[in-house]
Amino acid sequence: MSETRHVPVMLQRCLDLLAPALAQPGAIVVDCTLGLGGHSEALLSTFPSTRLVGLDRDTAALKLAGERLASYGDRATLVHAVYDDLPEVLENLGIPRVQGVLFDLGVSSMQLDEAERGFAYAQDAPLDMRMDQSAGISAAEVLNTYPPGELVRILRSYGEEKFARKIVEVVVREREKEPFSNSARLVELIRGALPQAAKRTGGNPAKRTFQALRIEVNGELPVLERAVPAAVRALAVGGRIAVLSYHSLEDRLVKQVLAEGATTTAPPGLPVVPERYQPRLKLLTRGAELPTEEEVAENRRAAPARLRGAQRIREDVA
């Protein structure tokens, strides 16, 4: 059942980071990546006067999370949306500001565990990888139709794959013989395309290519680029944001947005800094916090997690 296979990552630390903002009566927290509802359930039970808005683009996850959170009644409002839709979602619900925002980025346990979704390179499955299976193009379509140069760019930018050109040469040659449909064939071709030395280190050699395809299919980085600043704008003064990232591209982007908010925008040399130039955020984590060794031992999916948090300390001044 979903509850047993889904272990929320860095759960206690996320709750501790958000707690000062959610302790006040009538606080609203947004879980931008609802998944199977593990973090949301903990937020609702830990902060009994808090109302939760949960977003997910995956209709299957929404259904399961809805069942899990049903006992909380109207304290939980679940919405089918991608997290960069946050401003519209809050406007539709008549919520001007929120006290807490949580992002748990990356692929949910359910998407990885269900072979037919095509996220996992360790089992043969259709190359789909869409988080919302009602929209967008699949990973197979990306492989079969994108120009070679574009595929190389995606593998390099999103997968940080050093052998992108080698892999794409093989993909282009093979797709002309027969279009890609399943993951096993792609994994096999990647193994064949990489030099021996590259196959001896860093886990499954297909890992970086699969990551790159997933990010492209779901538009993850452009969505995140819009979503984190939107979440910061949605915070009331005193409100807090916590973001869990799982690879360096996500973490870099989150770090940039939070660091920018925590920096003065005043021209150098001003004797007194006017309020409109003062930082809007205070960072709550020194760099990115990592899961403990105990947590990684219990839940291997926590291993790459990086947690950053910030608090809204003032309104924007025009």
Side-chain angles (χ1 to χ4, degrees), residues 4 7 21 32 37 58 86 102 116 148 150 154-155 163 177 194 210 212 218 231 254 263 272 286 306:
T4 54
V7 183
C32 286
D58 186 331
L86 178 64
L102 173 68
E116 67 274 10
E150 188 62 1
I154 289 164
L155 265 56
F163 301 102
K177 297 177 193 169
L194 296 187
F210 271 63
N218 296 292
V254 173
T263 308
V272 177
R286 289 175 67 85
R306 303 285 178 270

Side-chain angles (χ1 to χ4, degrees), residues 47-216:
F47 307 106
S49 66
T50 293
R51 180 181 163 199
L52 176 121
V53 177
L55 315 185
D56 209 293
R57 61 168 84 181
D58 186 331
T59 50
L62 274 172
K63 183 176 178 294
L64 288 168
E67 290 163 13
R68 184 175 190 161
L69 304 177
S71 61
Y72 294 98
D74 59 7
R75 285 182 57 210
T77 304
L78 309 187
V79 184
H80 181 223
V82 185
Y83 39 78
D84 64 338
D85 293 333
L86 178 64
E88 292 79 13
V89 169
L90 293 179
E91 193 180 336
N92 292 342
L93 294 171
I95 299 171
R97 283 282 196 272
V98 301
Q99 282 63 46
V101 179
L102 173 68
F103 287 90
D104 181 11
L105 302 167
V107 189
S108 82
S109 302
M110 183 192 71
Q111 289 161 343
L112 282 171
D113 289 341
E114 293 183 1
E116 67 274 10
R117 301 296 292 271
F119 285 96
Y121 39 79
Q123 45 197 343
D124 191 21
L127 279 166
D128 191 320
M129 299 196 197
R130 289 172 300 162
M131 291 180 182
D132 179 354
Q133 290 192 299
S134 66
I137 66 165
S138 69
E141 287 173 82
V142 170
L143 281 172
N144 293 328
T145 63
Y146 275 30
E150 188 62 1
L151 285 174
V152 170
R153 183 192 68 78
I154 289 164
L155 265 56
R156 279 190 183 146
S157 305
Y158 297 163
E160 299 176 290
E161 175 54 80
K162 290 200 292 284
F163 301 102
R165 195 169 290 284
K166 265 186 176 355
I167 291 168
V168 170
E169 277 169 16
V170 176
V171 164
V172 170
R173 189 173 70 233
E174 289 298 318
R175 77 184 184 186
E176 282 167 13
K177 297 177 193 169
E178 188 194 338
F180 284 89
S181 60
N182 274 45
S183 56
R185 180 176 169 224
L186 178 60
V187 172
E188 203 49 45
L189 288 173
I190 292 168
R191 279 188 202 282
L194 296 187
Q196 276 309 115
K199 285 185 273 199
R200 284 197 288 271
T201 56
N204 193 308
K207 180 178 166 183
R208 290 178 295 277
T209 297
F210 271 63
Q211 174 181 296
L213 287 170
R214 191 199 82 215
I215 290 172
E216 172 64 16

